[in-house]
mmCIF file of all heavy atoms in Angstrom:
data_model
loop_
_atom_site.group_PDB
_atom_site.id
_atom_site.type_symbol
_atom_site.label_atom_id
_atom_site.label_comp_id
_atom_site.label_asym_id
_atom_site.label_seq_id
_atom_site.Cartn_x
_atom_site.Cartn_y
_atom_site.Cartn_z
ATOM 1 N N ASP B 283 -22.387 9.297 8.922
ATOM 2 C CA ASP B 283 -21.840 7.981 9.260
ATOM 3 C C ASP B 283 -20.576 8.116 10.105
ATOM 4 O O ASP B 283 -20.443 7.486 11.165
ATOM 5 C CB ASP B 283 -21.541 7.229 7.962
ATOM 6 C CG ASP B 283 -21.014 5.842 8.226
ATOM 7 O OD1 ASP B 283 -21.642 5.128 9.013
ATOM 8 O OD2 ASP B 283 -19.969 5.491 7.651
ATOM 9 N N VAL B 284 -19.642 9.000 9.634
ATOM 10 C CA VAL B 284 -18.389 9.164 10.373
ATOM 11 C C VAL B 284 -18.649 9.766 11.747
ATOM 12 O O VAL B 284 -18.036 9.368 12.754
ATOM 13 C CB VAL B 284 -17.403 10.037 9.563
ATOM 14 C CG1 VAL B 284 -16.203 10.404 10.402
ATOM 15 C CG2 VAL B 284 -16.962 9.298 8.322
ATOM 16 N N ALA B 285 -19.614 10.710 11.825
ATOM 17 C CA ALA B 285 -19.929 11.322 13.114
ATOM 18 C C ALA B 285 -20.427 10.272 14.100
ATOM 19 O O ALA B 285 -19.997 10.239 15.265
ATOM 20 C CB ALA B 285 -20.987 12.411 12.927
ATOM 21 N N LEU B 286 -21.313 9.370 13.629
ATOM 22 C CA LEU B 286 -21.828 8.327 14.517
ATOM 23 C C LEU B 286 -20.702 7.413 14.980
ATOM 24 O O LEU B 286 -20.657 6.990 16.134
ATOM 25 C CB LEU B 286 -22.910 7.510 13.801
ATOM 26 C CG LEU B 286 -24.213 8.262 13.545
ATOM 27 C CD1 LEU B 286 -25.219 7.372 12.855
ATOM 28 C CD2 LEU B 286 -24.788 8.776 14.849
ATOM 29 N N ARG B 287 -19.759 7.106 14.070
ATOM 30 C CA ARG B 287 -18.655 6.224 14.470
ATOM 31 C C ARG B 287 -17.718 6.912 15.454
ATOM 32 O O ARG B 287 -17.218 6.292 16.403
ATOM 33 C CB ARG B 287 -17.872 5.783 13.241
ATOM 34 C CG ARG B 287 -18.546 4.655 12.498
ATOM 35 C CD ARG B 287 -17.777 4.273 11.276
ATOM 36 N NE ARG B 287 -18.669 3.783 10.238
ATOM 37 C CZ ARG B 287 -19.147 2.543 10.183
ATOM 38 N NH1 ARG B 287 -18.795 1.678 11.089
ATOM 39 N NH2 ARG B 287 -19.950 2.179 9.234
ATOM 40 N N VAL B 288 -17.482 8.238 15.229
ATOM 41 C CA VAL B 288 -16.591 8.974 16.136
ATOM 42 C C VAL B 288 -17.200 9.013 17.530
ATOM 43 O O VAL B 288 -16.515 8.830 18.544
ATOM 44 C CB VAL B 288 -16.348 10.402 15.600
ATOM 45 C CG1 VAL B 288 -15.746 11.275 16.677
ATOM 46 C CG2 VAL B 288 -15.439 10.351 14.400
ATOM 47 N N LEU B 289 -18.522 9.253 17.595
ATOM 48 C CA LEU B 289 -19.164 9.376 18.891
ATOM 49 C C LEU B 289 -19.382 8.034 19.552
ATOM 50 O O LEU B 289 -19.841 7.965 20.686
ATOM 51 C CB LEU B 289 -20.510 10.093 18.743
ATOM 52 C CG LEU B 289 -20.386 11.537 18.278
ATOM 53 C CD1 LEU B 289 -21.752 12.138 18.024
ATOM 54 C CD2 LEU B 289 -19.643 12.360 19.306
ATOM 55 N N GLY B 290 -19.087 6.920 18.825
ATOM 56 C CA GLY B 290 -19.192 5.608 19.438
ATOM 57 C C GLY B 290 -20.587 5.025 19.382
ATOM 58 O O GLY B 290 -20.850 3.993 19.987
ATOM 59 N N ILE B 291 -21.515 5.695 18.656
ATOM 60 C CA ILE B 291 -22.870 5.148 18.552
ATOM 61 C C ILE B 291 -22.875 3.970 17.584
ATOM 62 O O ILE B 291 -23.515 2.955 17.817
ATOM 63 C CB ILE B 291 -23.846 6.248 18.091
ATOM 64 C CG1 ILE B 291 -23.849 7.374 19.121
ATOM 65 C CG2 ILE B 291 -25.239 5.691 17.888
ATOM 66 C CD1 ILE B 291 -24.579 8.592 18.689
ATOM 67 N N ARG B 292 -22.131 4.143 16.439
ATOM 68 C CA ARG B 292 -21.954 3.023 15.523
ATOM 69 C C ARG B 292 -20.528 2.527 15.741
ATOM 70 O O ARG B 292 -19.621 3.322 15.942
ATOM 71 C CB ARG B 292 -22.141 3.511 14.088
ATOM 72 C CG ARG B 292 -22.686 2.465 13.167
ATOM 73 C CD ARG B 292 -22.955 3.054 11.798
ATOM 74 N NE ARG B 292 -24.234 3.757 11.697
ATOM 75 C CZ ARG B 292 -24.652 4.329 10.562
ATOM 76 N NH1 ARG B 292 -23.898 4.306 9.490
ATOM 77 N NH2 ARG B 292 -25.816 4.941 10.523
ATOM 78 N N ARG B 293 -20.319 1.197 15.706
ATOM 79 C CA ARG B 293 -19.018 0.676 16.057
ATOM 80 C C ARG B 293 -18.000 0.924 14.942
ATOM 81 O O ARG B 293 -18.316 0.819 13.762
ATOM 82 C CB ARG B 293 -19.099 -0.815 16.348
ATOM 83 C CG ARG B 293 -18.409 -1.202 17.636
ATOM 84 C CD ARG B 293 -19.052 -2.440 18.212
ATOM 85 N NE ARG B 293 -19.146 -3.508 17.221
ATOM 86 C CZ ARG B 293 -18.119 -4.318 16.922
ATOM 87 N NH1 ARG B 293 -16.961 -4.174 17.516
ATOM 88 N NH2 ARG B 293 -18.260 -5.280 16.031
ATOM 89 N N LEU B 294 -16.779 1.287 15.324
ATOM 90 C CA LEU B 294 -15.687 1.438 14.362
ATOM 91 C C LEU B 294 -15.083 0.062 14.133
ATOM 92 O O LEU B 294 -14.443 -0.501 15.010
ATOM 93 C CB LEU B 294 -14.628 2.386 14.921
ATOM 94 C CG LEU B 294 -13.342 2.504 14.118
ATOM 95 C CD1 LEU B 294 -13.579 3.291 12.857
ATOM 96 C CD2 LEU B 294 -12.265 3.182 14.941
ATOM 97 N N GLU B 295 -15.358 -0.539 12.944
ATOM 98 C CA GLU B 295 -14.829 -1.878 12.751
ATOM 99 C C GLU B 295 -14.133 -1.982 11.406
ATOM 100 O O GLU B 295 -14.597 -1.453 10.405
ATOM 101 C CB GLU B 295 -15.938 -2.921 12.857
ATOM 102 C CG GLU B 295 -17.127 -2.622 12.000
ATOM 103 C CD GLU B 295 -18.248 -3.607 12.258
ATOM 104 O OE1 GLU B 295 -17.988 -4.606 12.919
ATOM 105 O OE2 GLU B 295 -19.358 -3.373 11.798
ATOM 106 N N CYS B 296 -13.001 -2.667 11.421
ATOM 107 C CA CYS B 296 -12.282 -3.035 10.209
ATOM 108 C C CYS B 296 -12.078 -1.889 9.232
ATOM 109 O O CYS B 296 -12.476 -2.003 8.074
ATOM 110 C CB CYS B 296 -12.994 -4.169 9.465
ATOM 111 S SG CYS B 296 -13.399 -5.559 10.466
ATOM 112 N N PRO B 297 -11.513 -0.758 9.654
ATOM 113 C CA PRO B 297 -11.134 0.210 8.636
ATOM 114 C C PRO B 297 -9.931 -0.323 7.887
ATOM 115 O O PRO B 297 -9.164 -1.122 8.430
ATOM 116 C CB PRO B 297 -10.774 1.462 9.440
ATOM 117 C CG PRO B 297 -10.368 0.948 10.761
ATOM 118 C CD PRO B 297 -11.073 -0.345 10.987
ATOM 119 N N GLY B 298 -9.767 0.063 6.634
ATOM 120 C CA GLY B 298 -8.610 -0.470 5.931
ATOM 121 C C GLY B 298 -8.549 -0.043 4.487
ATOM 122 O O GLY B 298 -9.439 0.645 3.984
ATOM 123 N N ILE B 299 -7.464 -0.455 3.832
ATOM 124 C CA ILE B 299 -7.224 -0.071 2.449
ATOM 125 C C ILE B 299 -7.805 -1.129 1.523
ATOM 126 O O ILE B 299 -7.556 -2.310 1.696
ATOM 127 C CB ILE B 299 -5.715 0.097 2.208
ATOM 128 C CG1 ILE B 299 -5.208 1.278 3.025
ATOM 129 C CG2 ILE B 299 -5.435 0.313 0.742
ATOM 130 C CD1 ILE B 299 -3.748 1.531 2.901
#
Side-chain angles (χ1 to χ4, degrees):
Chain B
D283 182 50
V284 171
L286 290 181
R287 280 178 211 278
V288 165
L289 295 174
I291 299 171
R292 210 175 278 181
R293 228 152 51 81
L294 172 73
E295 51 186 348
C296 309
I299 294 179

